[in-house]
Amino acid sequence: MPRFRFRRPLSRRILLYTSASLLFLLLVTSLTPIISPLPPYTGQYEVGILDLETAVPRRAVHSAVLKETGEKAFELATLALTLYYPSALPSSPAQPWARPWLPQPVSLVGTGYARLVGVRFAPLQALVTFFLWAFGANTVIPGVVDAPVLMGANATWVGNGNGNGEGLGKLRGVEDEGRGLRTMDEERTLPCVVFTHGMAGMSQSYSHYLGSIASHGYVVAAVEHRDGSGPGSIVHYPDGGERYVWHIKLEDLEAELPMTLSELKAAQLTFREAEIQETIRLLRLLNAGHGHLLQNLKPDSPRESLPGFANRLNMSAVTVAGHSYGATGALQVLKNAPSEPMPVNGAIVLDPGKGSGLLNKDVDVPALVIDSGEWTEKQVEFYGEGWHFDVVRKLVDTTKKGWFMTLTGSAHPSCTDAPLIVPWIMKLATGTTLNAKVALEEYISTSVRFLEYLRDGEKKELLRSDVTSPEGPLGDAEKRVKIKGKHGADWEVHVTPEA
Ligand SMILES: *[C@@H]1O[C@H](CO)[C@@H](O)[C@H](O)[C@H]1NC(C)=O
Ligand SMILES: *[C@@H]1O[C@H](CO)[C@@H](O)[C@H](O)[C@H]1NC(C)=O
């Protein structure tokens, strides 16, 4: 006997399930502390934050066009970045909020992530936006937007002696013309760090790591790459026009000769290198006192603090740093460094890419390579060159100038903000055994010790350690000796510089 069952049409069921899970999500997020606020930065200075977008000489690094719009896929027209820098503002007991952690509009990133996993159906894209909003909307990046940059020891604030007073008269939130503002203990200029994010990442995704480095006295420029590796970004042209840059896959492109995946990655890395070069050019302009000439194309973003950067940057101390795809990019930059356009004195390389092409081995400056525990434990054959670990180890070893180490118990996203904001979810998803905050403190203090080493040649804390685990996951387990970091986590040291 046939039995008939009444079934709702598929679309109705999807609707029902979706709204049920949304309600559930709302309930869970409002009842349990799933979302944690970002902690204060670890250094002694307050942090200024500025989103900046400036016009650069327009050029395409590759001739491929996008099938969807016919636009050139790899055309550089503006440079977008976030500056994190030590500010002259006195420390405040309440943690100031610079701005929402999620880039605005949220739908740009939501749609971007949906497209990234191949979803072109608008309602589903809206759903991803909703999830992002539910988890990220209440998170804010600590800091003060457009705060005055930290001045040298002898700076005077009223009619200041540096000849760059333009910005100072109108400092935001500084009513007493400088009294109470902080200066440095010594007459020094500020070293710079240029940061390049990972695949599917954004410059905002690393705010705690980067803001903390800034709070130790560094000017950090985190590039928002428009190479089609991120979820989404908007180019704002000086004439008021806009262009949306979405994540690019091979099938989105049309070229005279069909591109291969490795050609796509090569084009993206070239694009990234051009953006890094423009970032260094921008820092030079600021340092040369041209800050007041720059137009900030980022909507609603100010620029009052820019003239204050005149003569404040140490352009002989520019370090590149990157994570994952960005770490591959940071190594790539060293191919042409140090040189006039790339005056780079070293690199911080976090989890260098396993699938973003060969790693540049032509390295003449010190590099600090840190693998997460996950990156070291899960080994892959690397483009026919052997195990990834071994390729990286040999690369650093050959330079005789760098370090290679592993932070035990951490995972690939451990240096991002994600494990701080949604610690439980990230712990479940990545299986980390190390506390998220401790992992970041270790990443930060080791990176800052390396930046100090680049300045004065002094090795402190972890950098003084001998090699403890030469073969890492490839050797015998008993030869993998660990050493405690400053915050109590276990490290393995695989390579140290000669002498
Ligand atoms: C800054 O001030 C200190 C002491 O007040 C002085 O010794 C030093 O020469 C000054 N440096 C500059 C660059 O003016
Ligand atoms: C600039 O950086 C270089 C290299 O780290 C350092 O030797 C020099 O003392 C720094 N200059 C100033 C003024 O801070």
Side-chain angles (χ1 to χ4, degrees):
M1 274 257 283
R3 289 174 59 203
F4 293 98
R5 257 176 64 201
F6 173 74
R7 296 202 66 160
R8 288 189 176 86
L10 185 66
S11 58
R12 293 274 302 277
R13 268 183 294 147
I14 290 180
L15 205 67
L16 199 73
Y17 289 137
T18 322
S19 31
S21 29
L22 289 189
L23 277 178
F24 176 73
L25 184 75
L26 272 182
L27 194 74
V28 169
T29 50
S30 57
L31 288 182
T32 54
I34 267 191
I35 299 158
S36 307
L38 288 168
Y41 302 123
T42 61
Q44 71 266 43
Y45 298 113
E46 287 294 303
V47 171
I49 297 187
L50 186 60
D51 291 317
L52 199 54
E53 181 171 1
T54 60
V56 299
R58 204 157 163 166
R59 72 244 194 214
V61 308
H62 195 283
S63 59
V65 295
L66 293 164
K67 280 183 195 155
E68 198 175 344
T69 59
E71 291 162 336
K72 286 185 191 137
F74 301 104
E75 187 187 61
L76 187 60
T78 73
L79 168 72
L81 48 77
T82 304
L83 284 179
Y84 298 85
Y85 53 93
S87 105
L89 296 180
S91 3
S92 74
Q95 193 173 5
W97 292 355
R99 60 129 215 245
W101 180 73
L102 281 177
Q104 309 294 319
V106 182
S107 60
L108 171 75
V109 189
T111 307
Y113 276 118
R115 289 176 64 114
L116 213 153
V117 293
V119 173
R120 296 285 168 103
F121 182 52
L124 276 181
Q125 294 178 341
L127 189 68
V128 176
T129 300
F130 174 80
F131 270 81
L132 269 179
W133 173 84
F135 281 103
N138 288 328
T139 301
V140 285
I141 298 182
V144 176
V145 173
D146 205 23
V149 66
L150 183 68
M151 299 302 283
N154 294 6
T156 48
W157 291 92
V158 183
N160 99 43
N162 290 12
N164 62 329
E166 299 107 302
L168 295 172
K170 349 171 223 168
L171 290 179
R172 288 146 57 90
V174 184
E175 262 91 55
D176 62 352
E177 295 204 308
R179 262 170 293 128
L181 288 185
R182 289 180 71 178
T183 55
M184 296 182 93
D185 303 337
E186 322 148 59
E187 190 61 31
R188 274 205 293 112
T189 49
L190 301 166
C192 304
V193 176
V194 179
F195 183 82
T196 142
H197 64 71
M199 179 63 98
M202 299 178 288
S203 58
Q204 289 85 356
S205 324
Y206 304 83
S207 74
H208 184 67
Y209 175 71
L210 299 177
S212 289
I213 290 178
S215 73
H216 286 273
Y218 298 83
V219 172
V220 180
V223 184
E224 180 181 325
H225 290 296
R226 268 75 167 275
D227 61 335
S229 66
S233 178
I234 305 175
V235 177
H236 302 96
Y237 295 103
D239 66 5
E242 284 181 355
R243 181 166 79 91
Y244 280 68
V245 180
W246 301 110
H247 192 80
I248 297 177
K249 293 195 172 116
L250 210 46
E251 56 268 27
D252 300 328
L253 293 171
E254 213 159 49
E256 275 169 42
L257 296 168
M259 281 175 96
T260 64
L261 194 56
S262 61
E263 281 163 351
L264 166 59
K265 295 201 166 149
Q268 287 182 322
L269 285 170
T270 311
F271 194 90
R272 283 165 165 247
E273 202 172 338
E275 289 177 304
I276 291 170
Q277 202 167 325
E278 288 298 339
T279 304
I280 293 175
R281 199 197 304 251
L282 175 71
L283 293 172
R284 278 190 171 134
L285 281 175
L286 290 175
N287 195 45
H290 299 312
H292 62 287
L293 298 175
L294 289 172
Q295 189 191 354
N296 192 354
L297 300 168
K298 260 288 170 207
D300 306 320
S301 191
R303 47 168 298 281
E304 305 274 297
S305 62
L306 294 181
F309 282 85
N311 303 317
R312 290 304 299 134
L313 305 179
N314 188 343
M315 293 310 296
S316 14
V318 178
T319 307
V320 285
H323 175 232
S324 199
Y325 202 11
T328 305
L331 279 172
Q332 173 108 347
V333 162
L334 298 186
K335 195 173 193 130
N336 304 313
S339 63
E340 210 278 323
M342 286 287 191
V344 171
N345 67 352
I348 300 176
V349 179
L350 309 174
D351 280 358
K354 283 178 174 170
S356 36
L358 290 172
L359 300 173
N360 166 46
K361 301 188 178 77
D362 182 4
V363 175
D364 293 328
V365 293
L368 169 69
V369 182
I370 302 181
D371 260 10
S372 63
E374 183 189 2
W375 217 239
T376 285
E377 297 315 322
K378 285 196 194 135
Q379 279 308 305
V380 294
E381 241 289 319
F382 191 65
Y383 297 101
E385 294 192 340
W387 296 111
H388 183 268
F389 178 91
D390 220 24
V391 173
V392 174
R393 187 177 60 109
K394 284 200 190 109
L395 190 162
V396 183
D397 207 25
T398 313
T399 70
K400 300 182 167 52
K401 292 180 182 173
W403 283 266
F404 177 29
M405 35 182 96
T406 299
L407 178 57
T408 305
S410 61
H412 191 52
S414 285
C415 61
T416 72
D417 292 336
L420 295 174
I421 297 172
V422 283
W424 298 359
I425 296 179
M426 289 305 287
K427 202 174 156 72
L428 283 175
T430 60
T432 47
T433 49
L434 183 61
N435 174 284
K437 242 183 227 178
V438 173
L440 266 152
E441 282 171 345
E442 293 279 359
Y443 272 113
I444 294 159
S445 61
T446 309
S447 302
V448 171
R449 292 298 90 77
F450 176 70
L451 292 167
E452 288 167 357
Y453 165 78
L454 291 178
R455 191 181 68 214
D456 54 28
E458 216 180 306
K459 295 175 194 163
K460 283 181 250 157
E461 295 166 17
L462 206 55
L463 300 193
R464 294 178 56 175
S465 167
D466 290 326
V467 170
T468 65
S469 169
E471 304 285 333
L474 308 179
D476 298 335
E478 63 267 26
K479 289 204 185 122
R480 300 185 70 173
V481 176
K482 292 185 176 143
I483 172 173
K484 287 275 176 223
K486 191 180 178 203
H487 305 277
D490 287 327
W491 288 83
E492 283 177 79
V493 180
H494 312 298
V495 178
T496 59
E498 218 170 59

